Amino acid sequence: MIKTNERTFLLSTKETALLLRVNEADKLVCDHYGRLIDEGDLKSCAVPTGMPTGRTIIYDEKKSAKLALPLMQSEFSTPFKSDDLSPMIELYAEKGRVFDFIYDSYEIRDFVPMEGYPNPHGADQELVIKCKDEKMGAELHLHYVVFEDSDVIGKFIRIVNVGEEDIELRRAYSSQFSLQNEGYIIHGSFGNWAGEFQRNETKIGHFRYEFGSDSGSSGDQHNPFFMLKRPDTSLHTGIAYGFNLIYSGSHRVCVEMEPYGMIRVQQGISPSGFEKVLHKGESFLTPMAVLTFTHHGLNGVSHHMHDFVNKHIIPEQFAYKPRPIAFNNWEGTYAKFTEGKLKSLAKKAADLGCELFVLDDGWFGHRDDDASSLGDWTVYKKKLPHGIEGIADYVHKLGLKFGLWFEPEMISPDSELMKAHPEWAVTDGIHEPSLGRNQLLIDLTKAEVRDYLFECLDTHLKTGVIDFIKWDYNRTFSDLPRNGAFCHDYILGLYDLVGRITKAYPNVLFENCASGGGRNDLGMFCYFPQGWVSDDTDALERCKIQTEMAFGYPPSVMSNHVSAKTNHQMLRKTGFGTKFDIACMGILGYEMDVNDLDSVDEKAIKEQIEFYKENRNTLQFGTYMLLDTFDHDRQIVEMADGECALVTYVNYVQTPHSGNERLPVTGLIPDATYEYSVRKEVHSLKTFGSLVNQQTPFHVKEEGAIVNFLSRRMSLDAEALHGEAKGATLNAGGLQIGRQWTGTGYDDTTRILLDFGARIYIFKVKK
Ligand code: DGJ
């Protein structure tokens, strides 16, 4: 809800309020962004002006003898008029470079979709505040979009050239927000291929901090999502702000603390390599920044962000719709497959209970490895003699949906497309362009390139046999052409292409991918409802990545696959039980040679899939709560949905004599009686090494033929746990889950988790 008395604007959501004010100098400032406030008390929130000290420059003596630009909690800033903190907007005209916008008018209206950008849906209201610099012929429109139910405010700006002269735009962030320092810590992420979303924290000092991506995509180095938290903020309590950007290109965050302790936070398109000329009458619109506030700790931020993504970002036709369990052939075969091999994998995937078969890279041109054919989106007949339709029909007859991998934004130097259109590859026209994964970027700023790619995709999709597309993107930008804002124009081209194709095929489910999680952002999720989280499918690494990502993104967008026991990225060995327990917190899939499974593993995987189907709603759309972290040698996550709560416990390294442990649970219905249990797991005979000799009548060798033979056919049941208790009791005292194995003594309550092992505890209301 937006309320105004002409010079103050109070934007309220369910639990938060943003208070804006036009001050005596006609500048727009933020007096409060935090918990709800009473509209009768706005004066007490007004940030006082104070006496300017020393050699402070007074902005406009006639309006106020006190006000200085860098001391205001301004909603925007420009350089060269005494505000020497990081500028939000940088403009240059032939006649000058001081742009001094002052308040002009406002409008409250229904949200008007932003042209060229992905748009969130279901917004409540929009406030547009117009500021002008008449002398320079420029207007600045500040937009505030309220998403009441999710406690989110969207912010973006438009800069309009209303004068005669050209204006050059060199920086245009989407949001500037100021707050007073209370010991804030930036909590964001850093990352790389196979190591996305690593936790990254720093206490804010009197510096300017800048992070983001200049790689052309939102990237895995620094996802646009980050938080500011106070030192006393915990998982469940305390103040925290969450920030994100609905944008998929190079982006930047700037956090700066000025000498008096005011913190300025800016988010938007990266200014590096960004220049736009606005001719008379033209305007530039920034993407939308997303802000939230909570006093319920870091889980509070994630609840707001999850709600926002599920309700307002994901295309409406996929919102809260169950996602299928995939089988993907990539780590099972890589590009080395035949039609026969794919069929045998599909058959086994169907037997196991999977619902979607995804044919990954290697099906087109003459692609046998990653050095060829991108751009030639015609079937590789040697591998697939019956074409895509042949394999898709086979898959459909098994009762599975069929998915296909594409990497439309790339071109291989050896491709037929390159021969026909060398000018479509991105180069500066001077240097030999650098290759990344043996490929070049294709220029999506060109309409004819987008038309070609639309046609390639359309040719396959119109056969009607494709239910799912995995859209990959495996290199970053280099050799950029000179023109002003190439990276940004590329992203607008990408939005045009993905917008057209998803509109033409609204029921095809798209999965976003960029060498794993190199472009998982709110922009892409507006078109593609889910994203491949990382090429690292190791259980422990994936657990860390998923947990950090979950502060900003819900499990319903996270595609996670169970892969081979010896992980290909880390060479770490982990049992399928643990791999499942981690992969199931989101959208489950399998990615390995399932024909190599022994009967023990096959049975276990069938049980996992049954379990997932029974609990899919909770695991994809339930309320997510991080209850403990590896800071305490265990990570505990609860996913709860009405009468069911699933709590995943992940051990860090095993230590001797771990002691009794209490599993925290939260949010259960106090009066209801819950039945609790642990998801059934088994131990391989090999787990016990030469200790098996204590149970066998004859001597067996560790890793010897007998153990190998037996372990493919039989296993030992892991610990069991059953009982019931009132929700109130469990909320208060948690659940006692006993000790872990240390050396001797083993009964049906001893937890044998080993390093990085996991369990899922189940709480269901008794019928
Ligand atoms: C990178 C993706 O992240 C993988 O899952 C796989 O699709 C490969 N590309 C295929 O080249």
Side-chain angles (χ1 to χ4, degrees):
M1 187 190 299
I2 304 175
K3 291 195 171 168
T4 175
N5 74 359
E6 304 302 311
R7 288 183 74 96
T8 55
F9 304 91
L10 179 61
L11 292 77
S12 306
T13 66
K14 238 173 20 190
E15 293 191 355
T16 72
L18 172 66
L19 176 60
L20 305 172
R21 177 169 54 93
V22 180
N23 70 11
E24 303 88 300
D26 294 320
K27 293 285 182 188
L28 185 69
V29 296
C30 172
D31 277 339
H32 169 83
Y33 185 34
R35 293 171 79 159
L36 286 173
I37 50 177
D38 193 289
E39 54 179 301
D41 298 334
L42 303 189
K43 271 203 178 137
S44 66
C45 296
V47 178
T49 37
M51 281 306 290
T53 56
R55 52 198 187 120
T56 307
I57 293 184
I58 303 303
Y59 166 64
D60 184 342
E61 288 272 1
K62 287 186 220 116
K63 288 179 178 166
S64 158
K66 288 184 181 176
L67 283 170
L69 286 177
L71 300 179
M72 294 179 199
Q73 300 202 163
S74 304
E75 281 291 288
F76 63 85
S77 57
T78 50
F80 317 125
K81 183 107 180 97
S82 82
D83 184 338
D84 46 8
L85 302 177
S86 165
M88 179 192 191
I89 303 152
E90 259 188 85
L91 299 166
Y92 295 81
E94 192 60 35
K95 65 177 169 209
R97 57 183 182 176
V98 175
F99 281 76
D100 183 22
F101 294 103
I102 55 166
Y103 175 72
D104 175 68
S105 58
Y106 76 90
E107 185 188 356
I108 296 173
R109 61 187 195 188
D110 287 342
F111 172 56
V112 176
M114 305 161 66
E115 65 272 20
Y117 285 108
N119 276 289
H121 45 86
D124 292 293
Q125 275 178 304
E126 181 179 10
L127 165 69
V128 189
I129 295 186
K130 275 194 190 162
C131 299
K132 284 186 178 172
D133 182 340
E134 281 174 357
K135 296 195 175 87
M136 298 304 283
E139 284 186 7
L140 167 65
H141 303 176
L142 297 118
H143 294 247
Y144 296 84
V145 188
V146 179
F147 298 89
E148 277 189 47
D149 52 0
S150 306
D151 287 310
V152 158
I153 304 281
K155 288 173 72 175
F156 59 96
I157 63 166
R158 184 189 293 276
I159 294 158
V160 194
N161 183 349
V162 291
E164 297 297 319
E165 225 189 272
D166 286 356
I167 296 176
E168 197 187 315
L169 176 61
R170 295 205 195 147
R171 176 188 302 231
Y173 286 137
S174 301
S175 163
Q176 174 168 301
F177 162 62
S178 312
L179 73 171
Q180 289 157 17
N181 184 30
E182 290 171 355
Y184 281 101
I185 294 164
I186 306 172
H187 179 145
S189 62
F190 73 95
N192 207 329
W193 174 75
E196 299 84 343
F197 279 103
Q198 307 295 308
R199 197 201 290 183
N200 196 9
E201 291 174 301
T202 192
K203 184 170 185 313
I204 303 175
H206 289 275
F207 292 102
R208 182 180 294 180
Y209 303 81
E210 291 194 328
F211 56 94
S213 155
D214 284 321
S215 68
S217 58
S218 52
D220 39 31
Q221 302 95 327
H222 297 288
N223 191 275
F225 170 77
F226 68 101
M227 299 181 278
L228 292 191
K229 61 185 184 187
R230 294 216 305 218
D232 56 350
T233 302
S234 71
L235 291 176
H236 308 291
T237 59
I239 282 176
Y241 292 90
F243 303 85
N244 210 335
L245 188 67
I246 309 181
Y247 190 60
S248 312
S250 295
H251 63 98
R252 190 173 294 174
V253 172
C254 176
V255 178
E256 181 169 9
M257 182 151 75
E258 55 81 58
Y260 293 94
M262 182 184 76
I263 297 172
R264 179 177 281 183
V265 184
Q266 296 163 330
Q267 313 154 253
I269 298 172
S270 170
S272 164
F274 175 84
E275 297 159 1
K276 277 263 166 203
V277 176
L278 301 180
H279 303 293
K280 180 182 172 184
E282 286 182 348
S283 68
F284 182 79
L285 189 67
T286 67
M288 187 188 287
V290 164
L291 288 82
T292 192
F293 163 86
T294 182
H295 62 283
H296 297 300
L298 303 188
N299 279 311
V301 173
S302 62
H303 290 162
H304 293 175
M305 290 299 183
H306 291 189
D307 203 62
F308 178 66
V309 174
N310 279 326
K311 283 192 188 137
H312 301 290
I313 291 288
I314 297 303
E316 279 176 284
Q317 69 275 25
F318 288 105
Y320 295 104
K321 291 281 159 14
R323 308 288 151 70
I325 303 169
F327 172 82
N328 178 306
N329 71 306
W330 183 243
E331 285 199 18
T333 63
Y334 294 101
K336 203 171 155 198
F337 57 79
T338 60
E339 191 179 71
K341 178 71 184 174
L342 294 180
K343 285 181 170 175
S344 72
L345 290 170
K347 171 85 181 60
K348 180 51 73 73
D351 290 348
L352 292 170
C354 293
E355 299 161 327
L356 161 72
F357 177 87
V358 183
L359 170 52
D360 211 283
D361 192 354
W363 60 265
F364 53 92
H366 56 96
R367 183 133 161 130
D368 288 315
D369 55 35
D370 62 15
S372 85
S373 305
L374 292 164
D376 301 341
W377 298 109
T378 48
V379 75
Y380 190 178
K381 282 277 182 183
K382 193 176 94 186
K383 284 184 184 173
L384 294 167
H386 301 96
I388 292 299
E389 272 141 305
I391 183 71
D393 282 350
Y394 179 82
V395 165
H396 283 147
K397 284 194 184 115
L398 291 169
L400 303 179
K401 291 184 182 303
F402 178 75
L404 196 58
W405 179 96
F406 280 92
E407 195 180 2
E409 297 162 72
M410 300 293 160
I411 185 164
S412 299
D414 80 338
S415 62
E416 295 305 314
L417 184 64
M418 188 70 161
K419 279 180 209 142
H421 288 290
E423 77 285 5
W424 284 4
V426 172
T427 73
D428 71 349
I430 302 165
H431 302 91
E432 191 60 33
S434 302
L435 296 175
R437 207 197 191 202
N438 308 305
Q439 62 205 47
L440 295 170
L441 207 64
I442 196 166
D443 188 350
L444 289 193
T445 67
K446 294 187 163 78
E448 66 271 27
V449 171
R450 301 199 295 271
D451 289 344
Y452 168 80
L453 292 173
F454 180 86
E455 251 178 71
C456 291
L457 290 157
D458 187 55
T459 305
H460 287 283
L461 283 166
K462 72 181 172 212
T463 61
V465 300
I466 299 172
D467 309 292
F468 174 102
I469 284 187
K470 177 174 172 185
W471 182 297
D472 209 343
Y473 168 87
N474 284 306
R475 63 157 290 171
T476 52
F477 285 30
S478 70
D479 302 282
L480 299 185
R482 173 64 185 90
N483 51 319
F486 180 82
C487 291
H488 176 67
D489 294 341
Y490 178 97
I491 294 297
L492 295 187
L494 172 66
Y495 290 152
D496 174 60
L497 177 62
V498 295
R500 274 167 73 191
I501 201 75
T502 51
K503 195 164 169 215
Y505 295 96
N507 297 320
V508 171
L509 177 61
F510 281 74
E511 179 164 285
N512 185 43
C513 178
S515 303
R519 202 169 57 186
N520 274 329
D521 57 66
L522 296 181
M524 294 313 285
F525 289 136
C526 281
Y527 303 97
F528 301 166
Q530 60 187 61
W532 177 232
V533 169
S534 173
D535 272 356
D536 199 335
T537 57
D538 171 76
L540 174 69
E541 295 310 315
R542 199 51 180 259
C543 178
K544 294 191 228 159
I545 294 169
Q546 287 172 214
T547 305
E548 216 41 48
M549 181 169 171
F551 285 119
Y553 301 88
S556 61
V557 302
M558 295 190 203
S559 171
N560 309 315
H561 294 174
V562 173
S563 60
K565 280 185 193 165
T566 304
N567 173 257
H568 292 188
Q569 296 77 38
M570 306 299 297
L571 298 180
R572 185 182 280 139
K573 290 189 185 1
T574 312
F576 286 130
T578 288
K579 283 183 162 255
F580 168 79
D581 294 340
I582 289 165
C584 77
M585 289 184 277
I587 305 165
L588 177 69
Y590 290 82
E591 182 166 338
M592 64 180 98
D593 191 333
V594 274
N595 288 320
D596 290 348
L597 294 173
D598 61 37
S599 59
V600 170
D601 290 334
E602 204 175 309
K603 182 163 176 284
I605 288 180
K606 280 186 178 159
E607 287 171 3
Q608 293 169 5
I609 291 179
E610 269 168 40
F611 176 87
Y612 188 80
K613 287 178 180 170
E614 268 168 40
N615 296 290
R616 182 184 338 231
N617 209 54
T618 312
L619 291 164
Q620 293 184 352
F621 304 108
T623 303
Y624 176 100
M625 278 283 210
L626 181 59
L627 297 177
D628 209 348
T629 67
F630 286 134
D631 293 341
H632 306 120
D633 296 327
R634 58 185 199 165
Q635 186 191 277
I636 302 176
V637 168
E638 178 182 299
M639 300 276 302
D641 171 31
E643 303 191 332
C644 167
L646 303 172
V647 183
T648 306
Y649 175 110
V650 186
N651 203 32
Y652 201 56
V653 286
Q654 194 183 0
T655 51
H657 310 296
S658 68
N660 284 320
E661 258 188 283
R662 186 184 73 88
L663 182 82
V665 201
T666 185
L668 302 188
I669 306 162
D671 297 341
T673 300
Y674 282 82
E675 289 178 323
Y676 59 78
S677 57
V678 59
R679 192 182 77 79
K680 189 176 159 237
E681 302 258 5
V682 294
H683 297 304
S684 162
L685 294 186
K686 290 184 181 172
T687 305
F688 299 91
S690 56
L691 275 177
V692 284
N693 285 304
Q694 301 309 307
Q695 302 293 325
T696 48
F698 49 87
H699 184 80
V700 290
K701 270 200 218 158
E702 177 171 4
E703 299 288 344
I706 296 174
V707 168
N708 280 338
F709 178 83
L710 288 176
S711 68
R712 293 184 68 83
R713 287 161 183 79
M714 58 183 286
S715 58
L716 294 174
D717 283 346
E719 82 280 4
L721 179 76
H722 292 286
E724 54 181 64
K726 277 270 182 326
T729 311
L730 293 163
N731 286 338
L735 183 66
Q736 289 296 333
I737 51 174
R739 295 178 184 205
Q740 293 190 40
W741 161 273
T742 305
T744 54
Y746 167 51
D747 63 12
D748 65 356
T749 66
T750 310
R751 289 186 298 141
I752 301 179
L753 287 171
L754 314 177
D755 295 349
F756 323 125
R759 291 287 184 273
I760 297 182
Y761 295 90
I762 306 156
F763 300 83
K764 293 212 169 169
V765 169
K766 192 175 173 187
K767 297 286 172 208

